Amino acid sequence: MKKFLSMVMAAAMVVSLVPATAFAASSDFKATAKVVDAQNFPVDGVKNPIGGSELQLTLTTADTTKGVDSLKFTVTTDNVVDLVKDTHIKDKSVYVRYDGADVTKSFETITVDVTDDNEFEFTVTEKSEENATQFERGMVIGIDLSKMAMDKTSKGKTATISVDSDDATITNGDDLVFASVESKGIKASVKDTVDVATEEVAEIKELKIEPAVGDTLGAVAKNGTDIRLKLNSGFEFVKSDLTLSTDKGTPVPDVAWDDDEVTFENIGDGITGAEWFKIDGLKVEATSAKSGSTATIKVYVDGNDTVSVEVAKVVDYTVSMSVDEDEDVPVIYSGVDVNNTGITDDSDHDALEVTIKESFAGAWNNSKDFTLSLPEGVYVADEISTSTDGDFKLTTSGKTTEQWFQDAYDEGDYIDLTFKRRTWEETNPNDTNKDDPAEISFTLKLVADPNFEGDVVLKLTGDAVEEQEVTIAKFVKPYVVEAQQNDMQIDYRNTEIPTSVVIKEAEAGLWDKNTEFKLELDKIDFDDEGTIKVDEKSGLEIKDNEIKEKDGVLYFTVDSRSDDEPAVVTLSGMQLYMDRSLPAGAYDLDVWSPTMLADKFDDGDVADNATKGYLAQAILKPASEKENKVIADINDDFYSETAKAGFVNIVTAGREDTDSFTTKVVVPVGEKYVISGETKQEIPVPAYINADGYTMLPLRAVSVALGINSNNVLWDQATRTATVMYGSKIISMTYGQKVVYVNAAPIPASTSVEIKENRMFLGLRDLGNALGVTDITWDAATKTATLNGNK
C-alpha cells in the first residue's frame, strides 16, 4: 500500500512539473542526430567526393508525431564546395529505416531542395492511405553525404553539418564533423583511466600508440627511432616489468627509466609493417599530485607531432559508500517486528542495498577497523544479504560474508557493526590476476523502536576511510497521537480531563483485528474509562465499542479493520485519580500497542514469553553465543512511546509548600549562565543592571534554577503577563507595572517589570519576595546575586 501511495505521489509530482502544452495535440517531435563513418584524411590524401559518410536522424520520443504527415529538415554545411543539386545531394540520397528494414518506399514523397551554396532542405511525407506507414519512435532518417566535397583541405580542416527543423527538437544537431584532415603522425590512447590516491601507485591499462591517419608505424617511426613517454608534474613512473606487443609480433627494444620518463630505444627496427604498438604493466605513482589532478603522458616520436593522453586521476578518498539513487527509499513501520505483527502491511523491512567499494585495487587498508552505525533506536534484525565483487576475500578460513557481518554486530554490542582489522584481505594491484577494486554489497533488514520516526542514515567511519553517510530507509509510526497539554489543579477522584486524545491510523486497513492499544500516564492512574468514538467513514470497529480500565491503564481493542479510509479514534471524558501528594509539574502520556510490541504486564522473562511482537524480535545471532539476542535484551525502554509530554500539567500542589526552595542559585550579571546547586545552566539573555540601578533577573531562568517546572512559568502575549505557579501560589506580573500579585494580592515592587530580548525580567529583591526566598545576597565587586546562599 505504501509503495502504491509513493507511486501515486511521485506521478502527481511529475505531472505538476510538465507544462500544460505537453498534453495538447502537437506536431513537435524529438530526434537525435549523428554522423556515421566520418572520414579522416592525411594532408595529401583528401578524397573529393569524400565517400562513405552519412547523417542519421533517429526519432526518440514516442507518439509525438501522431497526426503529423510531413517532416521538414534544414541542413547547413561548412567547408563544403558550393552545393549543387544532383551533384552533391539528391532525393535518392535520403532513406527511411525502421526496425532494421528499409521503409523508404512506404512514404509518399521525399524531396530535396538546395536553398543556398551551403544549405539544403529535405522533406519526408507520409502516404494519405489508411494504415499507411507513420512516423514512429526508433525510426531512422538517413542522408547520404558521400558525394560531398571539401573546400579547404589543409591540415586541421574539418567539414561539418548542422540540422534544424521548424517544429523539431534536434539533439546533438550542431557542427557534426563528417570529414577531417590530419597530419601524418601518431595518436595515443589507454583502455581506461584509473584512480589513484596521493602517494599511491596505479597500473595503466594498455597504453596504445598508432598512426593518426591510416598508415603503418613503420612510416612514422623509422629504423633507430626512439619512443619517449613523459609524465606531468606531481607524478612519476615506477620501474616495473613491461609487456610490449604489436600486431606483427613482440619487439625487444632497450628500456631506459627516469623518474618522470620512460624511453623505448631503437624501436623502429621492431615495428616494421606494424599498425600499433602496445605497452602493458606501466605503473604511475601520484608523488605529490592532489585530489582532482590528472596524470597525463606525453608521447614523443622523432619527426612527429607530440601527443598527450590522460591515464589516471587522483581521488581524495579510497573507499566510497553508496546506494542506487534511482531507487525509492523504502518506508517501514516502527515498533513492529519483521513479520509486521499487529498490522497488515506486507513490507519486508529491507533497506536499500548498500555498496562499499574501493576506488582502485589495493586502496582499502585492512590494518584499520571500520564501523557502520545506525541511528539510536534502529536495529539490524533477522538476516543480512551480502554479495562481493572484485577480489574481495575474507582472511578467516571458512567464514562467509554473512558470518563476517554477524561477528561485526557482536563486536559493536548489537548496535553498530564494527569490522575488525585484518579480517579481510587487501586487493593486490601488482598481481595481474587481482587487479579489480574490492566491492561489497549488502542489504540490512531493519526494525525500529516505537518512538523512532524519520530517515535511517547509515554512517561509515574509521581511520582508513573518509566518514560518509547514505539514507537507506525511512520509518513511520503505524499511528499518530494528537493530544494537548491540560493545566489542572489537584482534585481527587474522578477528575475529568477537559480535552480529548485522538489516535489516527497511518493508512486504511493497517491495524489488524484484535490489535490492542493502551494509554498510561506517568505517576497518575486513570480513574474512569470515558468514551470512545470512531469516525464513520473508515469502517473500523472497536470491540464492545468501549474503553476499558485495568490497574489505572486504559485500553481498547480493534474488532474489525478499516476499509477505504484510515481510522480516526477519539477518546473523551477520561477521568483521573489524583493523589493529593502529587507535586506540581508535568506528567507525560504514553500510548502504545502491546500487540505490536509485547505485553508490558507480562511478569515473566520478555524474551521467553513474548512469542510475538517487536520485543521478542531476534537480532543477528552473535558469533560468541548460541542463542539469538532480542531487542528487549539491549533496550530497557523498548515499550515507551511518549505521545504527549506534559499531557497533564499540575499547576497547584495539594498542600502549602512555601519554604521548599533550598537550591543555591548564583546569577552573575552580564553572563549567559546561572549556577543551580553545582550545575551550570546556559541561559539566552543574561542578568543586567537597569537605568535605575536595580539588578534585573530573568524570570523563567531563575525560577527553573530554583526548582520550578518550566511548564509552570506561563506567558500571555496579549496582556504581556507572566504567571508562575508553585505550590499553592499563583504569582503574576505584567510588563511596565511596578507591582507583583501573589494569589491576587498586590505586592509593591521596587522597580518596574521589564522585557529585554523577548525575556521578562524582575528586580532581584522583588523576585525573591514573590517566590518567598528570603536568603538573598549581592556582591557589588563581582556583580553577582546569590539566592539561598546559606542553605
Side-chain angles (χ1 to χ4, degrees):
M1 176 62 73
K2 294 192 299 296
K3 294 180 180 178
F4 171 75
L5 292 174
S6 297
M7 292 172 63
V8 171
M9 292 177 66
M13 292 175 66
V14 171
V15 169
S16 69
L17 295 174
V18 178
T21 54
F23 299 100
S26 173
S27 61
D28 286 350
F29 63 93
K30 291 184 179 180
T32 299
K34 69 175 180 178
V35 167
V36 178
D37 295 329
Q39 303 296 297
N40 298 325
F41 304 106
V43 173
D44 55 358
V46 178
K47 296 179 181 179
N48 279 321
I50 62 171
S53 183
E54 68 177 45
L55 172 68
Q56 291 183 354
L57 293 166
T58 303
L59 304 185
T60 57
T61 306
D63 298 327
T64 55
T65 58
K66 299 301 182 184
V68 177
D69 58 8
S70 181
L71 297 178
K72 183 177 181 180
F73 302 87
T74 301
V75 180
T76 305
T77 63
D78 185 54
N79 194 27
V80 170
V81 173
D82 292 350
L83 294 178
V84 179
K85 188 176 181 182
D86 296 332
T87 299
H88 298 110
I89 192 78
K90 53 187 176 182
D91 297 348
K92 291 184 179 180
S93 298
V94 182
Y95 69 85
V96 184
R97 186 181 298 124
Y98 184 62
D99 200 20
D102 191 327
V103 295
T104 307
K105 293 183 179 180
S106 299
F107 288 83
E108 183 71 35
T109 59
I110 297 178
T111 60
V112 173
D113 294 308
V114 175
T115 56
D116 205 341
D117 292 343
N118 66 337
E119 182 180 281
F120 66 90
E121 298 175 343
F122 70 92
T123 305
V124 181
T125 304
E126 296 176 353
K127 291 182 179 180
S128 58
E129 293 90 345
E130 188 175 353
N131 298 324
T133 301
Q134 294 181 321
F135 298 113
E136 298 284 350
R137 178 179 180 176
M139 190 171 282
V140 177
I141 302 174
I143 305 99
D144 183 4
L145 304 177
S146 63
K147 301 298 183 182
M148 297 288 180
M150 293 185 69
D151 186 6
K152 299 178 178 61
T153 58
S154 57
K155 174 185 173 181
K157 293 296 182 182
T158 60
T160 63
I161 194 165
S162 299
V163 190
D164 198 3
S165 180
D166 290 341
D167 56 354
T169 300
I170 307 295
T171 303
N172 196 37
D174 295 330
D175 299 328
L176 298 171
V177 176
F178 65 91
S180 60
V181 183
E182 302 179 14
S183 62
K184 285 187 175 181
I186 58 171
K187 59 183 179 181
S189 61
V190 291
K191 192 172 183 179
D192 194 10
T193 57
V194 295
D195 291 333
V196 62
T198 301
E199 299 182 355
E200 297 285 347
V201 176
E203 183 172 326
I204 306 307
K205 296 185 177 180
E206 191 181 286
L207 175 61
K208 190 176 184 180
I209 301 169
E210 56 191 323
V213 180
D215 215 330
T216 64
L217 276 175
V220 297
K222 306 300 182 184
N223 288 347
T225 299
D226 297 341
I227 293 181
R228 182 164 58 97
L229 311 178
K230 183 175 177 62
L231 274 167
N232 56 317
S233 177
F235 301 90
E236 292 183 1
F237 286 111
V238 177
K239 190 173 182 179
S240 58
D241 294 329
L242 303 178
T243 301
L244 312 176
S245 60
T246 73
D247 58 319
K248 297 297 184 182
T250 304
V252 189
D254 294 327
V255 182
W257 294 89
D258 199 351
D259 290 340
D260 59 352
E261 288 188 12
V262 177
T263 303
F264 301 93
E265 300 174 341
N266 300 317
I267 190 68
D269 293 336
I271 59 173
T272 302
E275 295 184 359
W276 48 261
F277 174 59
K278 189 166 65 176
I279 309 167
D280 286 301
L282 196 63
K283 295 180 179 178
V284 170
E285 180 182 4
T287 53
S288 60
K290 302 302 181 184
S291 173
S293 301
T294 301
T296 302
I297 292 179
K298 286 188 176 181
V299 182
Y300 298 86
V301 177
D302 294 344
N304 295 274
D305 291 343
T306 301
V307 295
S308 299
V309 57
E310 293 183 357
V311 296
K313 182 178 180 180
V314 182
V315 294
D316 59 355
Y317 55 85
T318 58
V319 178
S320 63
M321 180 172 67
S322 63
V323 295
D324 187 344
E325 294 183 355
D326 293 331
E327 290 286 335
D328 292 334
V329 175
V331 177
I332 309 172
Y333 283 112
S334 51
V336 297
D337 63 12
V338 294
N339 296 318
N340 293 317
T341 304
I343 62 174
T344 60
D345 190 83
D346 60 356
S347 63
D348 52 17
H349 284 245
D350 283 353
L352 286 179
E353 183 180 61
V354 179
T355 298
I356 300 179
K357 182 179 181 180
E358 60 180 355
S359 45
F360 53 88
W364 198 343
N365 186 349
N366 77 350
S367 66
K368 305 289 185 180
D369 297 356
F370 72 93
T371 297
L372 294 170
S373 304
L374 290 165
E376 183 178 357
V378 179
Y379 309 97
V380 179
D382 199 46
E383 62 183 18
I384 296 176
S385 173
T386 66
S387 63
T388 62
D389 200 357
D391 293 302
F392 182 83
K393 291 183 179 179
L394 296 175
T395 57
T396 305
S397 176
K399 289 280 187 179
T400 65
T401 49
E402 287 80 4
Q403 290 170 325
W404 186 50
F405 270 79
Q406 290 175 356
D407 290 344
Y409 206 34
D410 188 13
E411 190 69 34
D413 292 330
Y414 322 114
I415 298 173
D416 298 329
L417 295 124
T418 300
F419 298 83
K420 299 300 291 181
R421 63 194 182 108
R422 307 199 190 286
T423 53
W424 75 98
E425 191 174 298
E426 285 189 25
T427 52
N428 183 359
N430 298 318
D431 188 336
T432 56
N433 296 320
K434 297 174 65 178
D435 58 358
D436 291 334
E439 180 178 330
I440 306 170
S441 295
F442 58 91
T443 302
L444 303 178
K445 196 177 291 288
L446 303 175
V447 294
D449 282 343
N451 271 327
F452 185 88
E453 188 172 25
D455 289 340
V456 178
V457 177
L458 183 68
K459 182 181 293 186
L460 171 66
T461 56
D463 292 338
V465 297
E466 181 180 89
E467 183 173 314
Q468 298 165 64
E469 294 181 349
V470 290
T471 299
I472 60 173
K474 181 178 182 178
F475 276 95
V476 298
K477 296 180 181 180
Y479 52 86
V480 176
V481 180
E482 294 181 355
Q484 62 188 49
Q485 180 174 303
N486 297 273
D487 295 329
M488 302 178 68
Q489 294 186 354
I490 279 288
D491 200 339
Y492 191 56
R493 299 300 302 266
N494 304 116
T495 304
E496 185 170 329
I497 299 172
T499 65
S500 300
V501 174
V502 180
I503 305 174
K504 295 183 176 180
E505 191 177 24
E507 64 175 281
L510 182 64
W511 301 343
D512 210 352
K513 179 181 173 65
N514 295 323
T515 297
E516 187 178 71
F517 289 86
K518 296 196 174 184
L519 292 79
E520 181 179 20
L521 271 170
D522 180 29
K523 299 178 182 178
I524 303 176
D525 287 342
F526 284 100
D527 205 16
D528 193 44
E529 298 89 349
T531 61
I532 188 167
K533 181 181 179 181
V534 182
D535 66 296
E536 297 179 355
K537 295 181 181 179
S538 69
L540 181 133
E541 295 181 359
I542 301 299
K543 188 174 182 179
D544 300 327
N545 196 32
E546 65 179 3
I547 318 171
K548 298 182 179 181
E549 183 269 332
K550 178 183 178 181
D551 298 329
V553 176
L554 300 183
Y555 67 95
F556 64 89
T557 304
V558 176
D559 198 37
S560 66
R561 290 156 45 185
S562 59
D563 296 324
D564 297 331
E565 293 190 18
V568 178
V569 179
T570 303
L571 295 87
S572 306
M574 296 171 290
Q575 297 180 5
L576 304 177
Y577 172 77
M578 300 178 72
D579 191 294
R580 291 187 179 275
S581 64
L582 286 169
Y587 297 84
D588 299 341
L589 172 68
D590 289 344
V591 177
W592 80 98
S593 170
T595 308
M596 300 175 194
L597 303 175
D599 196 332
K600 179 182 175 182
F601 304 107
D602 190 343
D603 295 329
D605 182 81
V606 173
D608 294 335
N609 294 299
T611 57
K612 290 185 178 181
Y614 167 77
L615 289 187
Q617 172 62 58
I619 61 177
L620 288 183
K621 180 187 291 184
S624 61
E625 298 183 22
K626 294 181 179 180
E627 299 299 327
N628 281 351
K629 285 285 184 179
V630 296
I631 299 298
D633 296 337
I634 59 176
N635 185 353
D636 292 336
D637 296 322
F638 39 77
Y639 61 81
S640 177
E641 182 171 7
T642 300
K644 176 61 179 178
F647 176 67
V648 171
N649 183 41
I650 298 177
V651 295
T652 56
R655 63 184 185 277
E656 182 70 20
D657 190 3
T658 59
D659 193 30
S660 60
F661 288 128
T662 59
T663 303
K664 177 182 177 181
V665 176
V666 178
V667 187
V669 169
E671 301 291 344
K672 286 189 173 183
Y673 68 86
V674 298
I675 299 175
S676 175
E678 301 297 326
T679 304
K680 182 178 180 181
Q681 298 177 354
E682 302 294 332
I683 60 175
V685 184
Y688 64 94
I689 298 175
N690 70 3
D692 296 328
Y694 289 96
T695 301
M696 306 298 291
L697 303 188
L699 175 63
R700 181 180 297 275
V702 173
S703 297
V704 172
L706 284 168
I708 298 174
N709 191 295
S710 181
N711 288 322
N712 288 352
V713 182
L714 310 177
W715 170 251
D716 185 344
Q717 178 62 34
T719 61
R720 307 185 85 176
T721 298
T723 302
V724 179
M725 295 182 176
Y726 173 70
S728 59
K729 287 184 177 181
I730 299 177
I731 306 159
S732 65
M733 61 215 72
T734 302
Y735 168 68
Q737 293 186 1
K738 208 171 180 179
V739 62
V740 177
Y741 293 89
V742 178
N743 291 339
I747 299 175
S750 56
T751 186
S752 299
V753 178
E754 298 182 2
I755 292 178
K756 182 178 181 181
E757 296 184 34
N758 297 318
R759 298 295 190 277
M760 178 164 278
F761 284 78
L762 194 62
L764 169 61
R765 303 288 174 181
D766 300 330
L767 181 57
N769 290 336
L771 295 177
V773 177
T774 57
D775 182 4
I776 300 173
T777 59
W778 168 252
D779 187 335
T782 61
K783 294 185 177 179
T784 301
T786 303
L787 291 78
N788 298 322
N790 297 313
K791 293 199 176 183

